[in-house]
Amino acid sequence: MRTLFVAVVAFGVVTAYGITARAQQGGAALTGDAAAGKVHYTFGNTSCSNCHGVNGEGAFAPALAGRPEITYDRFRNYVRDPKGRMPGYPDTELTDQEIADMVVYFQSLPKAEKPAAWRTPLPENPVPPQRLAIATIGCGQCHGATMSTPRHGMAEVNGDFEWFKRMVYQHTTTQREQMAMLDPALPRVTPGFGGPQTRTPPRVRMGNYSPQRLPEARLKEIYDWMVDLGALPVLTARLAPAPASDGGQTYNLNVYNSAVRGKGVNTEDVTVAVEVPADVKVVSAAGTGYAGTTMAADGKTIATWRLPKMDAAQQEALSITLSGAAPGLRGTIRWGKPAVKADGQVNFQLPGARGGRGAA
Ligand code: HEC
Ligand code: HEC
């Protein structure tokens, strides 16, 4: 019933609000589909909802739902060439058809009673560039309070301010160039083509900012703050069970620095720690720098490896054998150099374990 209702309303909107009218001028027939619009907006590899709210009810950005005055033309003009704080999206990331679908979807929704909370609230006592990034420009609505993805990207290629400007002002091409430099054999730490892709070709989620509306001087303030927090090494680990044997259960622990070889940030003094649950014992462990176990304050046993360095594109194969299976096995990576002021710990866990890694 609901689907049918939406479809009927949607059809009414198409004729009433000018999608077909425009199509006559432009020659190509564009008929929006509300269900498809919902998918593009909500799951379709766009991040519009980070600012406009999960259901278009508004948050950092104004509501889009239930606002008939936002016609296809107005919507499309804004997305292609925004006049305010929003990045612009070329049709490589969002097609005219997808825009038509979104317009019909939003027309099918009731007007929101009130906007949702910001996805990234402003922390107490923000430093000025943090306020700029979260509350004034809005980068932080997607990138969180400490800009972790941009700082990861910075470490991938040792990016300087020239790199940063290109990444922000010509994001959709520069991001693709950087992705092409990454070794596909190394696990991706940055979101890349934003999570599971439902669209072909894959899209990037961040649009292009205009230097007229986001002047270089503002961007430099954000960049300097990110440098002060520290480029974030792209260290990551994959934990996986080996086939069980009589001697216990072995877990393979592969540790990676996924930065671009010869270009990205090298790290030193890397500590990999695995929390061993109370009901199993460590039988043996292997790999560079195994330093034995210690007892944590809460009684948990911690097995530790100290790796003198993890250079860009370096991989290390570690392993630990426990007296039995440990389905919740998890651990952390920390590093001494380069020092960072935020996000200085990487959490990893067995796939399927509950809790753990936050959405950095
Ligand atoms: C960084 C946050 C942010 C993101 C991401 C974002 N927007 Fe916006 N959007 C805004 C803001 C803020 C406004 C209000 C005007 C301004 O300051 O740009 C706006 C305005 C708009 C408008 C104009 C509404 C009107 O009244 O005419 C449309 C349409 C729109 N956004 C669609 C989208 C779509 C579609 C996406 C994803 C492809 C998107 N936005 C992503 C922040 C964002
Ligand atoms: C709509 C959400 C969104 C907004 C708003 C946004 N970004 Fe991004 N940004 C992303 C995503 C997602 C990526 C990863 C690539 C992609 O899909 O675009 C990214 C990538 C980046 C990168 C490159 C990271 C790498 O892997 O190399 C930089 C730098 C960056 N953003 C900086 C900024 C700055 C500065 C702002 C504000 C001026 C901003 N972003 C606003 C979502 C956003």
Side-chain angles (χ1 to χ4, degrees):
M1 260 323 268
R2 192 176 157 76
T3 323
L4 186 66
F5 175 73
V6 169
V8 170
V9 171
F11 184 74
V13 167
V14 168
T15 30
Y17 295 103
I19 293 177
T20 46
R22 181 196 167 273
Q24 279 157 10
Q25 287 165 17
L30 279 182
T31 304
D33 176 84
K38 178 176 182 161
V39 171
H40 301 318
Y41 182 76
T42 318
F43 320 105
N45 323 127
T46 63
S47 294
C48 320
S49 60
N50 288 348
C51 290
H52 287 282
V54 175
N55 300 303
E57 70 276 49
F60 171 80
L64 299 172
R67 293 186 55 202
E69 71 277 18
I70 309 181
T71 59
Y72 170 83
D73 284 328
R74 173 164 156 181
F75 195 108
R76 181 182 179 281
N77 289 344
Y78 203 84
V79 167
R80 298 280 184 245
D81 185 18
K83 301 287 176 263
R85 296 177 293 172
M86 186 176 127
Y89 290 82
D91 62 4
T92 46
E93 316 313 320
L94 196 63
T95 65
D96 285 355
Q97 179 63 55
E98 289 161 345
I99 291 176
D101 294 340
M102 278 194 195
V103 171
V104 174
Y105 166 56
F106 288 126
Q107 305 288 11
S108 79
L109 295 177
K111 202 176 176 80
E113 276 168 24
K114 62 180 178 63
W118 287 12
R119 180 168 181 264
T120 304
L122 193 62
E124 271 179 45
N125 307 316
V127 292
Q130 186 177 37
R131 178 187 295 278
L132 191 61
I134 296 174
T136 311
I137 301 171
C139 321
Q141 296 306 317
C142 291
H143 287 306
T146 53
M147 300 292 279
S148 53
T149 293
R151 287 164 56 222
H152 274 137
M154 184 185 257
E156 274 175 2
V157 294
N158 235 321
D160 58 9
F161 187 56
E162 288 306 309
W163 164 84
F164 190 61
K165 277 194 300 188
R166 276 200 313 280
M167 205 38 118
V168 172
Y169 294 142
Q170 292 130 44
H171 180 73
T172 55
T173 46
T174 311
Q175 184 70 64
R176 286 190 165 82
E177 286 161 16
Q178 182 153 326
M179 285 172 182
M181 292 164 70
L182 298 173
D183 183 343
L186 299 174
R188 183 58 54 81
V189 172
T190 50
F193 292 116
Q197 281 280 335
T198 57
R199 298 192 299 188
T200 318
R203 317 291 175 83
V204 299
R205 296 184 158 204
M206 173 177 155
N208 300 319
Y209 283 87
S210 137
Q212 280 74 47
R213 289 183 307 280
L214 172 52
E216 210 175 298
R218 294 284 84 73
L219 210 50
K220 183 71 165 51
E221 290 173 53
I222 295 179
Y223 174 80
D224 288 344
W225 169 57
M226 283 167 43
V227 169
D228 181 59
L229 293 177
L232 206 48
V234 271
L235 292 173
T236 184
R238 292 283 183 271
L239 191 57
S245 72
D246 293 348
Q249 175 65 57
T250 297
Y251 292 94
N252 293 321
L253 174 57
N254 291 314
V255 181
Y256 308 86
N257 180 339
S258 297
V260 176
R261 184 185 305 279
K263 193 173 171 71
V265 166
N266 299 327
T267 54
E268 288 175 37
D269 186 18
V270 176
T271 304
V272 179
V274 169
E275 272 179 31
V276 181
D279 56 342
V280 290
K281 292 200 161 39
V282 178
V283 177
S284 63
T288 306
Y290 182 60
T293 59
T294 50
M295 190 75 89
D298 59 3
K300 277 194 192 115
T301 303
I302 311 287
T304 305
W305 291 255
R306 293 195 199 290
L307 306 165
K309 66 180 182 68
M310 282 295 292
D311 285 347
Q314 186 176 336
Q315 313 185 25
E316 287 290 339
L318 316 178
S319 69
I320 186 164
T321 302
L322 304 177
S323 56
L329 200 63
R330 63 182 66 232
T332 60
I333 310 175
R334 297 175 151 272
W335 61 97
K337 281 187 192 168
V340 295
K341 291 185 181 168
D343 312 295
Q345 176 176 308
V346 173
N347 300 319
F348 60 82
Q349 62 185 26
L350 270 180
R354 277 191 291 147
R357 201 184 166 124

